[in-house]
Amino acid sequence: MAILELKGVTVRFGGLVAVNALDLSVEQGSIHGLIGPNGAGKSTVFNVLSRYYDPAEGTATFEGKDLLGAQPHDVINRGIARTFQNVELFKGLSVMDNLMVGQHHNFRYGLLPALLSRILPSVKREEAEKRAKALEVLEFLGIAAYKDAFPAFLPYGIQKRVEFARALVSQPKLILLDEPAAGMNEQETHDLAQLIRIMRDKYKTTVLLVEHDMSLVMSICEHITVMEFGRKIADGTPAEVQNNPAVIKAYLGEEEEAANA
Ligand code: ADP
Ligand code: MG
């Protein structure tokens, strides 16, 4: 069953067509790769799903229900969490507090009673539950030792994990990862691959992964969609996609560009 389904999604920025009539179907419980050269439209797709951008055309459903009518703050309540291509954490909050903020949609009494948490036992209990949940996720990701640190002072690879933790702590059904391995070394990337796989199994999450590191994509994705200039140019298993001439051509073009740069 598809948990996420896009049909004919088109996003324009002025005259530029960033996403062009995209169909995308993501199976529940799968690790699905969304790849393509720089500027292909991958992050724009994520921004549509997060409801930051409105497509000019097309439909998107999540668990069979319309997603495009949702507001950005509804998205997390629907069970969709994301990480950003550039880490976006609250620099003035500790790691733990970043995760507490990430859970606020689960807060049964809303935000205001949180201020009364010292006098309301029910809220106090909820706060403790949230803290325990956050700690469990930090432990799962191997970064519990950093819970009181401020993200800005942590190595980039750890910051990435904190962002990952913040997404996970909301117990999403679908997690959108935008280039999680960017800036990581080979060992960190290898660890991340394992982490994504274990996370999917443990939390029963569906993963939509945008990533440039082909070895990571090919090793963990069950299905891959390839975009170029906003269009879908291939869709299939890693083996199918790897042998697709249009895909090889798209990536060769990018290598030439890099060589000429
Ligand atoms: P990718 O993530 O695949 O590298 P993006 O989705 O970021 O690609 O970008 C797709 C195209 O849309 C690029 O040409 C990019 O310059 C353009 N684009 C993305 N966001 C905006 C925006 N907010 N305003 C104008 N152009 C944008
Ligand atoms: Mg991008």
Side-chain angles (χ1 to χ4, degrees):
M1 194 198 88
I3 189 167
L4 178 72
E5 189 107 48
L6 304 194
K7 288 217 173 85
V9 168
T10 295
V11 181
R12 295 196 188 93
F13 296 112
L16 178 88
V17 186
V19 177
N20 198 340
L22 178 71
D23 293 340
L24 175 68
S25 184
V26 177
E27 281 296 297
Q28 179 145 33
S30 68
I31 301 177
H32 190 124
L34 182 62
I35 67 169
N38 265 326
K42 308 175 300 287
S43 292
T44 301
V45 170
F46 275 18
N47 284 328
V48 166
L49 298 175
S50 309
R51 304 302 306 111
Y52 293 132
Y53 296 160
D54 280 324
E57 286 150 42
T59 60
T61 58
F62 180 66
E63 298 186 303
K65 284 181 240 129
D66 168 62
L67 183 63
L68 298 181
Q71 297 294 312
H73 61 263
D74 298 327
V75 170
I76 189 101
N77 292 317
R78 294 277 295 269
I80 303 176
R82 74 175 289 183
T83 64
F84 292 85
Q85 188 167 345
N86 303 304
V87 173
E88 291 186 21
L89 291 164
F90 297 106
K91 300 271 185 281
L93 296 180
S94 70
V95 167
M96 176 56 87
D97 286 341
N98 265 279
L99 265 64
M100 298 298 276
V101 171
Q103 286 187 90
H104 267 141
H105 77 105
N106 276 337
F107 211 87
R108 257 169 284 159
Y109 307 95
L111 268 174
L112 187 63
L115 301 170
L116 306 172
S117 65
R118 282 180 190 83
I119 43 175
L120 287 178
S122 58
V123 177
K124 215 170 183 173
R125 202 176 322 120
E126 179 130 1
E127 191 81 5
E129 278 168 22
K130 277 172 34 174
R131 207 163 278 278
K133 176 79 200 155
L135 199 57
E136 182 200 311
V137 172
L138 288 175
E139 270 159 15
F140 169 65
L141 293 173
I143 51 173
Y146 302 105
K147 68 179 169 56
D148 298 318
F150 288 90
F153 299 110
L154 296 172
Y156 190 66
I158 303 291
Q159 289 188 32
K160 281 252 167 197
R161 279 187 182 228
V162 174
E163 207 192 17
F164 215 80
R166 188 179 58 186
L168 258 188
V169 85
S170 67
Q171 295 173 276
K173 295 171 189 164
L174 172 66
I175 186 163
L176 310 172
L177 302 176
D178 199 351
E179 303 206 19
M184 286 190 175
N185 65 33
E186 209 171 312
Q187 183 60 47
E188 286 169 334
T189 304
H190 177 260
D191 293 347
L192 178 75
Q194 264 180 322
L195 209 60
I196 293 173
R197 224 184 269 119
I198 298 168
M199 174 192 82
R200 186 267 304 270
D201 296 343
K202 181 177 157 84
Y203 294 97
K204 307 271 179 275
T205 316
T206 305
V207 179
L208 184 57
L209 171 72
V210 164
E211 182 48 60
H212 244 68
D213 188 308
M214 279 308 120
S215 63
L216 174 63
V217 169
M218 294 300 164
S219 69
I220 65 169
C221 293
E222 283 122 16
H223 196 98
I224 297 175
T225 300
V226 190
M227 293 176 75
E228 186 187 25
F229 299 123
R231 286 187 179 279
K232 179 161 84 176
I233 59 166
D235 205 31
T237 63
E240 284 165 355
V241 156
Q242 245 171 331
N243 295 317
N244 184 309
V247 176
I248 295 166
K249 191 158 164 278
Y251 276 93
L252 280 180
E254 192 175 55
E255 270 171 33
E256 273 165 25
E257 249 174 53
N260 294 333

